[in-house]
Amino acid sequence: MDAAKKQDMPPPGGYKKIPFARVPAKVYFSGWQMLGTYAAVTTVGLYVYYLNAKMIKREEIEMRSAENVIFPILIAERDREFLKQLRRNRDEEAKLMANVPGWEVGTWYGEPVFKTLPKDKLVSPSFNEFYAHTDWKALAKRAHIKLWS
């Protein structure tokens, strides 16, 4: 079986050329168009930022004004509650020491604690004196806040 051997040859006319040349990317925009688009987008963004910043500043001024208006009321309420607690402490002391002979509320067995101060002068109690007749949780919570502030 001697068949004629056929050699693999190129097609008639030869093979196609191998494309090796650089193919540039398709250009959608020119450089000037991209710069113009960037400038337009930046301008619009800055304008929107300006409007937003103006609105935020107006709201901050309004909130600051509201805080300035309500601040004296909050201070007055704080002072009022402070004086009410002092009254509750005195009432509790009077009830607690009712059976002790010679005990006057706000004194040490009839002797004023602060002898050089006028009688109508308010002496702020220490932290522990202020919370002497409250439950332990209120004292612990407030002491924790006081120590960290």
Side-chain angles (χ1 to χ4, degrees):
M1 282 200 141
D2 269 336
K5 295 189 178 171
K6 184 174 177 187
Q7 185 176 358
D8 193 16
M9 296 297 288
Y15 289 110
K16 273 183 16 180
K17 296 268 186 199
I18 298 173
F20 65 90
R22 182 176 171 268
V23 179
K26 184 173 180 183
V27 177
Y28 291 104
F29 301 106
S30 69
W32 289 110
Q33 287 174 326
M34 287 194 293
L35 283 175
T37 304
Y38 170 75
V41 167
T42 302
T43 304
V44 169
L46 286 174
Y47 180 68
V48 170
Y49 178 82
Y50 166 74
L51 292 178
N52 193 25
K54 198 163 89 168
M55 181 186 68
I56 288 173
K57 187 171 185 172
R58 189 171 51 243
E59 288 176 359
E60 284 177 350
I61 289 171
E62 185 177 345
M63 286 304 294
R64 203 167 35 243
S65 297
E67 288 172 2
N68 288 340
V69 166
I70 200 168
F71 188 70
I73 297 169
L74 293 175
I75 295 296
E77 282 297 314
R78 183 199 64 185
D79 293 345
R80 184 172 168 264
E81 185 57 36
F82 178 75
L83 293 175
K84 283 171 67 176
Q85 182 60 41
L86 290 181
R87 170 54 64 191
R88 286 191 291 264
N89 286 354
R90 288 182 63 89
D91 294 345
E92 185 69 26
E93 180 185 349
K95 189 168 67 172
L96 184 68
M97 302 300 282
N99 297 332
V100 177
W103 186 266
E104 291 180 34
V105 176
T107 64
W108 181 254
Y109 289 100
E111 287 289 322
V113 179
F114 301 100
K115 296 181 183 186
T116 59
L117 295 177
K119 292 194 180 265
D120 61 346
K121 173 81 172 152
L122 174 67
V123 178
S124 294
S126 69
F127 183 78
N128 288 329
E129 287 175 358
F130 184 75
Y131 285 98
H133 301 291
T134 59
D135 60 332
W136 184 85
K137 282 186 178 180
L139 171 67
K141 180 180 176 186
R142 190 67 182 129
H144 182 72
I145 293 171
K146 184 176 174 67
L147 289 173
W148 284 99
S149 61

